[in-house]
Every structure is written in structure tokens, then in C-alpha cells.
Amino acid sequence: MGGRPLEEAELVERARDGDVEAYGELVRAYQGLAGRVAYVVSGSASDAEDAVQEAFVKAYGALNRFRAGAAFRPWLMRIVANEAINRRRSVRRHATLTARAAEGRPVEDAVPSPEGAALAQETRRELLLAVNRLRPEDRLVIAYRYWFDLAEAEMAEAMGCRPGTVKSRLSRALQRLRRELPASVVPSAAEESEVVDG
Amino acid sequence: MAESTPSSFGRALEAALASLGREVAYPDLPDVSPAVVGRLATGARLRALPFGGAARTLRPLVHPVWTRVAAVAAVIALLMSGVLTFSPTARRAVADFLGLRGERIHIGRTIPSAPLRPLGEGLDLGKRSTLSEARATAGYRILVPSDPALGPPDEVYVQASDLGVQVSLVYRARPGLPSAPQTGVGLLVTEFRARLNQEFIYKAVGAGGTVEPATVDGHLGFWISGQPHELFYVGPGGAPIPDTIRLAANVLVWEQAGVTIRFESPLTEAEALRIARSVR
């Protein structure tokens, strides 16, 4: 990471001046992240690839609106996410994120028994299915927080909202996720009243 | 998680999500920088043209008619003057810029018939390869139709996807092998190591098409008409893995020797089955 901000700022500056090759450097640096963001939204490799390519082209056209000195990463993530979400609106189907085969590996780190491990595997599968059933916006806010480990300020930038709104959006997404989980996973109806705010 | 007390459920859910995040199988997407740079560079060149100046934004959502006409005129002018030597990427970039991908620009009779563009380009098939190279890298036996009327594939592609190494054989349309819309492709054969699951197939196709069981030399398969957009296969971990259908055509898909083979073609079921039975 060391040295990147300076180099990045310079590349952004050169790209803004019309240096397409400098922009190509930025594309190469961020396309991995952009691909993950788009994939979380679309759940399809080919849709994600199209969204990423289109988002990078659009981001180049929007560089004149990028504030000098601001963080490029969340700014770009916002464009990628918007592109992927807009494309997905025309395709009415659930996402199909998949998890790598994790033989015997539970969702939680400590599982006391083989029965527990089997249950955790089942839970993990149910959780993934529930995540796939969410609206892309909800899936994205969950991914930003728990999968990409974004700080609240960065999430706000990436989501185009005030930092104070991040928590409530995340909370609502988690509530909707819980509603998508089968009763066998959610312990009790009374639990529904609890607000999960991390 | 189900053993947690109600008050700790929120935290357990968060922990489970964090753990799940480490296991999400993100696809290995190809490097998009050449395509992006190509599109931007082409856009800059077109904008530099006197009448191309109107097209200020790349791929605007709605092209005013006159902008589009001017832009097409710019392409025609470029084609005729030979200002740009169009590599396949540049041609695709130009089409992208104009929002014309998938549409043909007809100029007299010369452009459509000129073998300018590889058949498989734009179908997201991966890297152009050869049959022998693909056989060496696939890690499984690639089955090829031996029907003499079909002959060898015109193009071969190899791609690393969620389904492992995917090999595609492209056959040019010809008499007796009609073209899928806008592609010039008569038959696209895609092979990969995955299993078929009847439920996945029926669910993916849904109400948008019809699925009928079909057997190819005793191997289980499905005939799908109605132009499905994607199908799901059973990946190595048992998870459903989607793959996009590339052509607007019918699909015959079956499993043979641990490999799933998919035909996309405007052929009828009987014709597709005849070719399918000839794979060796």
C-alpha cells in the first residue's frame, strides 16, 4: 500500500488531463476490486465483467467531477456498483453467488460437535441462499461491511450517503436478511424485535 | 448459530457473514484494461472529427438521432479513408462507442462478407486457440463432432471460468447450418467439467422456454427451446454454477464421460441430435 496514494493521485491527475494510458494503470490497479463489487451485485461473472468495463469507461468521463485529493477507491466503487445495479434491474432473477467448497468447515470458528458442524454447514448454505435473495443494494451494503471490511466513512463514500445513514442502511439490510433465513436458523420470533446495529 | 441465545443472534449472524465472505467464490475476470483503453482512445479519435464533436459522452443512454447518424457517418468516413486500421478490438470499441454492438453496419456488400472479424469475437468465449492446444490444456477429453457434413470447427476458444477450463468450438453458418441471429455462427459447442441437474435446468429455463429430456447415445441430456439466457450446472463443490447462453438459439446439453457438452444452434432437435451422436 505504501506509496500508492501519491502514485494514484498522479495517475488520476494525468488521466484527467486525457492520458488514457495513465487511466489504464488505474484500471489495472482497481479492476480486481471492481470485479468483486460488480459480482456481489450481479452474481454472474459475465454480467460483472460487462459492468466493470462499462463502469471504467463512465468513470473516465466523470473524472472532472472527482475532487482532487479525495479517495479514488470508494468513488470508483460507487460508479461500479451503480452500473452493476442498473444493469441488473433489467434482469429479474436472483443472484447466484457461490461459496468455495469448504469441506467440514463451519461458518463459525468454534463448533463443538459433528452435529454442530453439519448444522453450521447447513446454516452456511441457507445464509448464502438468503444473501442471494436480497436486493442487490442490501447485498452490497452487507458485503462492504463484512466482506470488504470498509470503514464507515468509506462505505458512505461508496454508497453516496452521509456517514450517519450507513448504520441504518446496514441495519435494515440485516433485518431483511433475517427475514430471508428459514425459521430453523433464526432462533425465535421474539428475536425479530432486536435491532442489529453491529 | 441455531444454538445461540436470542440475544446473541445478531452477533452470530455478523460472524457468520464475515466467515461467509472469506468463502465467496469470486470469478477470475479477465483484464478489462485493453478494452477500456481501446474504447477511450477510439472515443477521443472520433471526438476529434469535425462532426464527431457532438458525441461528447461515451455511450450516452439515449443517442439523439442526428448524433447517431453523424457518428455512423464518421465510421463510414474512417472506413473509406482508411484513417484507422481496425483491429478486432478497435472495431468492437467503435461499435461499443456508438452503442452498436450486436448491430451490423452494412456498407454496400463488402463489409458483411469480408472475413474481418473472428466468428467467436464478442461471444465471451475466452482466448482464441487451436484444437490441439485446447486438448493439451483442458485436462479432460474434448469431444468433437465427427459428422463429415460439419467438418472441423472454424474457431476454437479456451476460457477459465467458474466451470473450470471451458472449451468452445465455433462452426460458421453454411448451407444446411443456418446462422444464429447476428453472429454468422451456425453451431457453438461448449464443453466443461461439470454435472447436470434436472432441477437446475428446469428452474433456470423457467417459463421462458421449454425443456425436454433428450438422450445422446444413452447419455442424459436436455433439449431446450425458447432461447434461455443462462443455465446452471453442478460445480465441483455441488454448488449451482451459472453460465450464459451465448447465442439466441436452441440448446442441446448433455453429460458424457464426466464432461458437459452444450450445443447452441438454430438447428432442429433431430439435426442437433444427429451431430451430437457423432462426437468422438
Side-chain angles (χ1 to χ4, degrees):
Chain A
M1 293 297 275
R4 172 176 269 194
L6 232 187
E7 192 188 331
E8 178 184 289
E10 194 188 323
L11 287 172
V12 170
E13 203 49 49
R14 279 166 50 193
R16 219 204 302 236
D17 290 343
D19 183 342
V20 171
E21 291 304 326
Y23 189 66
E25 286 287 310
L26 286 168
V27 173
R28 279 187 286 280
Y30 282 106
Q31 61 183 343
L33 174 70
R36 289 194 292 279
V37 169
Y39 183 66
V40 163
V41 171
S42 67
S44 143
S46 59
D47 290 354
E49 184 191 341
D50 286 351
V52 166
Q53 190 188 131
E54 200 58 39
F56 273 118
V57 170
K58 284 183 177 163
Y60 180 82
L63 274 177
N64 56 358
R65 295 199 296 277
F66 176 74
R67 277 185 294 117
F72 184 71
R73 189 173 110 125
W75 180 82
L76 177 73
M77 286 168 90
R78 187 172 163 188
I79 294 178
V80 172
N82 283 344
E83 181 62 30
I85 287 169
N86 288 338
R87 283 166 170 260
R88 203 176 151 69
R89 290 217 167 100
S90 58
V91 188
R92 289 253 162 234
R93 58 165 192 251
H94 287 313
T96 49
L97 301 187
T98 54
R100 293 193 296 274
E103 283 165 23
R105 194 169 147 202
V107 169
E108 290 161 275
D109 292 326
V111 173
S113 63
E115 294 78 16
L119 183 67
Q121 275 286 31
E122 177 61 16
T123 303
R124 173 177 164 275
R125 201 180 70 85
E126 294 291 357
L127 184 59
L128 186 60
L129 288 173
V131 167
N132 278 335
R133 282 194 292 266
L134 288 177
R135 295 156 56 219
E137 291 87 346
D138 286 344
R139 198 162 48 242
L140 199 58
V141 63
I142 285 173
Y144 281 167
R145 173 68 186 83
Y146 301 107
W147 299 358
F148 298 175
D149 282 328
L150 295 196
E152 211 166 275
E154 210 175 10
M155 280 178 79
E157 278 280 316
M159 290 157 57
C161 66
R162 285 180 296 112
T165 316
V166 169
K167 246 185 186 148
S168 60
R169 282 217 206 165
L170 179 61
S171 170
R172 283 199 298 273
L174 286 172
Q175 281 173 14
R176 282 191 279 266
L177 176 66
R178 289 164 65 167
R179 285 202 287 272
E180 292 293 341
L181 286 167
S184 60
V185 175
V186 183
S188 76
E191 178 63 15
E192 288 302 314
S193 60
E194 186 198 333
V195 177
V196 180
D197 60 9
Chain B
M1 196 149 74
E3 291 167 9
S4 309
T5 62
S7 61
S8 65
F9 181 73
R11 273 191 295 281
L13 180 61
E14 291 187 304
L17 280 168
S19 171
L20 183 67
R22 291 191 287 275
E23 291 169 4
V24 171
Y26 292 106
D28 254 342
L29 297 182
D31 180 4
V32 300
S33 64
V36 171
V37 169
R39 282 175 63 179
L40 296 175
T42 309
R45 280 197 294 268
L46 284 173
R47 278 196 302 278
L49 291 170
F51 42 78
R56 288 166 56 92
T57 325
L58 290 171
R59 297 198 69 180
L61 289 176
V62 180
H63 290 279
V65 171
W66 58 270
T67 303
R68 197 174 165 100
V69 167
V72 171
V75 172
I76 293 170
L78 284 166
L79 283 169
M80 291 174 74
S81 64
V83 170
L84 292 175
T85 307
F86 282 115
S87 67
T89 312
R91 273 199 310 282
R92 188 169 160 183
V94 170
D96 273 350
F97 172 74
L98 298 170
L100 291 176
R101 200 200 288 199
E103 292 180 33
R104 281 168 179 251
I105 304 170
H106 290 269
I107 303 172
R109 290 174 160 274
T110 52
I111 298 302
S113 59
L116 284 173
R117 156 190 184 121
L119 283 170
E121 192 193 298
L123 294 180
D124 187 27
L125 300 176
K127 234 177 79 186
R128 183 90 183 261
S129 183
T130 61
L131 205 47
S132 51
E133 205 183 332
R135 281 189 161 126
T137 55
Y140 55 85
R141 187 165 162 225
I142 299 168
L143 296 161
V144 180
S146 64
D147 190 308
L150 192 65
D154 293 294
E155 290 169 15
V156 178
Y157 292 82
V158 175
Q159 182 175 40
S161 76
D162 296 355
L163 291 158
V165 178
Q166 209 170 15
V167 175
S168 299
L169 315 175
V170 185
Y171 294 83
R172 187 180 294 280
R174 64 195 70 163
L177 187 62
S179 166
Q182 309 195 343
T183 57
V185 176
L187 171 65
L188 173 63
V189 181
T190 309
E191 307 189 17
F192 41 86
R193 218 183 226 158
R195 284 177 297 119
L196 286 177
N197 173 302
Q198 181 164 328
E199 195 190 343
F200 289 359
I201 298 285
Y202 277 83
K203 272 193 180 159
V205 175
T210 57
V211 186
E212 295 162 36
T215 47
V216 178
D217 272 354
H219 303 289
L220 169 76
F222 302 93
W223 170 255
I224 304 157
S225 49
Q227 303 175 5
H229 290 299
E230 65 177 2
L231 292 181
F232 289 80
Y233 307 90
V234 185
I241 298 182
D243 189 47
T244 313
I245 301 297
R246 296 339 194 252
L247 305 182
N250 299 324
V251 172
L252 174 65
V253 61
W254 77 99
E255 202 184 323
Q256 183 167 345
V259 175
T260 286
I261 307 169
R262 183 177 71 217
F263 277 13
E264 293 172 54
S265 169
L267 289 171
T268 64
E269 184 179 9
E271 291 164 336
L273 280 170
R274 181 175 52 79
I275 296 173
R277 281 193 287 266
S278 80
V279 302
R280 300 287 179 267

